[in-house]
Amino acid sequence: MTERRPEFVRFAIALAVPLVVLLLLIGRGELITHSGTKWRVRITGYDPRDLVHGHYLRYQLSWLWSDGDDEAERSSRRSRQRPREPDSFFCLNHGSDTRKPPEPRVSLVSRDERSGCQSSFPVEIEERLDRFYIPEGKGAAFERAVRNETCYVVLAVTRTGQVVVEDLLVGDTSWRKAIKD
Amino acid sequence: MDLQSKLAGWQRAGLLSAEQAAKIAAFEQESQRHGARPYAFYALGGLGALAVAFGLISLVASNWQEIPPGAKLVLDLLVGVGLVLGTLRAEAAGSRFVREILLLVLFGFVLASIGLVGQIYQLGGEAHDAMLLWSVITFAAMLHLRTGLGAAVWLVALEATWLMNAWSVIDKLGSSKEETILFVALWFVTALLLLLVGGAGPVRVRRPALARTAWQLGAVQVLGMMSIAPQFFYARIDDFYSVSAIAALVVMAVSLLVIARVPALLAAITGREQEPQVVLSVRVLLFYGTVLNLLACLLQHPPMGLVAALSFMVLWGLVGWVAYVSRSYPLFQVATAVLGVRLLGVYVEVLGSLLTSGLGLISGGLLTLGVAWYWRKKTVQMHGAFAAELPAEETGHETGHAAASPPEPASPPSGPQGGAP
């Protein structure tokens, strides 16, 4: 046993590595969720034929651009039509929205211009924010909600530019309360 | 016929004395007691472990709403700690089977847990990202798998992860044909590299099951892809892409590396130096298969049905040659069966009018009968040659007796005159 001890220790360390990494992932998620600034961002279904793909809801973020003054203008400036320059950042700032969490006014800025933002994150992260995991059997209800109601995702954005999708709102209500069937 | 009946028959024929028969019976009994492995037990255990792992993944995928996220995470970590402790306990107790099963369950559990964390924190990302993380963080633990089944599960998962991630990069090229060419080339190279891993000395010494499984997995894929390639001769290929040249160069380079390493690979896999004709046959097979792949898939050509059929049959003829010179009876049977089935495919291809159908079936049938006869003849030769190579002490014959028996070829004869059906 003494001769085998180093091998046993190596084996134990190898087994522990996945658990440690899982713990770090959970810690990171908790950190972003609790320390990040919360923002709501409106979502729209981008392809009604494939709105619910598997067990997650896919959607498109509909940013309220800072150079668009009203709803109509925002609608005419869909987020995907605005080119994302590499190495640019989403800059999120409070507008006149008094809801909690508020919907930010958004602009695209360079790395050096981030100091003027209340929250910012790299444009590449947007690709990861286009889905929301939903419970099995809730797909149709989510699809109806996104089609018929105004829905938002709640983003938590840290000072270092890390983002997680924290919740999905149907109107002003979390999906857990709004979607019952 | 069981061993006792055979021993009694050999005694009656004067081949064995009663004392020799008793010794053989005792030896076989002892071998079974110590060497027999409960394969059915292993297979069922492996299946059970896989079922549990997939069940965990499925449970997470259902995103069961009734359990709060925090409770899910705590429960998940507790299961993980339990699996790790259980595996360590099995290792300490020397329980190879339990240890292996728990390792496989842990492997699936980690993927399920990554999915769970991704769901709870809505991390987004793609499946290949999750698989990459999974493969990296479980790599060291899975290196401790000891059985072929465990190694097979792990290697298939690793290869799938590698190919999925490679595809995610290749997919951005824009042209679907170029993407496909690069992807298939990469897959072929991966299979060739598996052969190298399987024959690598350190891997064979430290992880024999992993090495064995790696080369088997590589060999099956290489042979499978070589067999599919000739089918591209049925299609018209009009374009030659710039990536085709790159793909051809990389595939050829890796293939030549494997061909150069064939003697060492065969020695590592079989545990002894192989005869020159075995090395030559494997080298010819690998070279022909690689060139066939490149010609059929990359070069411009019109539809050439005859070339497709012939090139496939030459490929499997070479497989038969490898099997014959290396005395691999099962592979020889497979090669013959594949050739026979391909011949039947040729009949279907030439079916047209009643006249041509009739002529095709008659000539094809005669050809198949000829192949069957030749196969039977070579099979008997192989058995004879194999028996003749056993040392006198293994056959139980006196040296003088062996010398007095009819001469058998020391190596497989090259012509059909060496035996009879």
Side-chain angles (χ1 to χ4, degrees), chain A residues 4 7-8 11 14-15 17-19 21-23 26 29-30 55 128 131-136 138 164-165 175, chain B residues 61-63 65 77 80 84 87-88 91 103 106 110 113 118-119 121-126 133 137 140-141 144 146:
Chain A
R4 291 186 58 211
E7 194 181 335
F8 188 80
F11 186 40
L15 290 178
V17 167
L19 292 188
V21 174
L22 285 174
L23 267 174
I26 294 169
E30 286 294 317
H55 289 163
R128 292 199 289 103
R131 69 184 64 178
F132 191 87
Y133 287 95
I134 59 176
E136 190 174 18
K138 299 278 186 187
V164 295
V165 179
W175 71 271
Chain B
S62 75
N63 195 6
Q65 194 184 350
L77 286 174
V84 167
T87 310
L88 288 173
E91 168 78 358
L103 260 180
L106 180 71
V110 173
S113 300
Q119 266 182 12
Y121 296 104
Q122 301 290 340
L123 294 180
E126 300 295 332
L133 176 65
I137 67 179
H144 290 79
R146 291 284 186 271

Side-chain angles (χ1 to χ4, degrees), chain B residues 60-199:
Chain B
V60 169
S62 75
N63 195 6
W64 199 18
Q65 194 184 350
E66 309 308 322
I67 305 177
K72 277 186 194 169
L73 289 174
V74 170
L75 196 66
D76 183 74
L77 286 174
L78 284 177
V79 171
V81 170
L83 281 172
V84 167
L85 293 178
T87 310
L88 288 173
R89 191 178 165 82
E91 168 78 358
S95 176
R96 173 188 158 109
F97 175 74
V98 176
R99 172 190 180 284
E100 196 78 356
I101 293 301
L102 288 178
L103 260 180
L104 282 180
V105 174
L106 180 71
F107 190 46
F109 161 82
V110 173
L111 180 61
S113 300
I114 292 171
L116 180 68
V117 174
Q119 266 182 12
I120 288 177
Y121 296 104
Q122 301 290 340
L123 294 180
E126 300 295 332
H128 61 82
D129 295 326
M131 289 183 73
L132 183 60
L133 176 65
W134 174 50
S135 298
V136 169
I137 67 179
T138 54
F139 191 88
M142 294 309 121
L143 272 177
H144 290 79
L145 286 164
R146 291 284 186 271
T147 63
L149 175 71
V153 171
W154 182 44
L155 285 176
V156 168
L158 272 187
E159 192 179 356
T161 303
W162 156 241
L163 291 176
M164 282 172 74
N165 277 276
W167 177 252
S168 73
V169 176
I170 292 171
D171 192 29
K172 291 174 181 146
L173 280 177
S175 155
S176 64
K177 283 185 180 172
E178 286 177 282
E179 288 165 2
T180 308
I181 287 168
L182 270 186
F183 183 73
V184 173
L186 195 70
W187 192 351
F188 190 67
V189 166
T190 304
L192 287 171
L193 291 176
L194 275 173
L195 291 178
L196 288 179
V197 170

Side-chain angles (χ1 to χ4, degrees), chain A residues 25 28-29 32 56-61 63 80 90 121-133 153-158 160-166, chain B residues 117-119 121-130:
Chain A
L25 277 179
R28 176 178 172 270
I32 298 173
Y56 47 83
L57 177 78
R58 299 198 73 167
Y59 49 77
Q60 180 175 321
L61 296 172
W63 299 104
R80 298 284 175 187
F90 283 103
F121 60 88
V123 289
E124 294 79 26
I125 289 183
E126 187 186 25
E127 284 180 11
R128 292 199 289 103
L129 306 176
D130 67 349
R131 69 184 64 178
F132 191 87
Y133 287 95
V153 285
V154 176
L155 302 182
V157 187
T158 65
T160 55
Q162 299 190 74
V163 190
V164 295
V165 179
E166 193 186 276
Chain B
V117 174
Q119 266 182 12
Y121 296 104
Q122 301 290 340
L123 294 180
E126 300 295 332
H128 61 82
D129 295 326

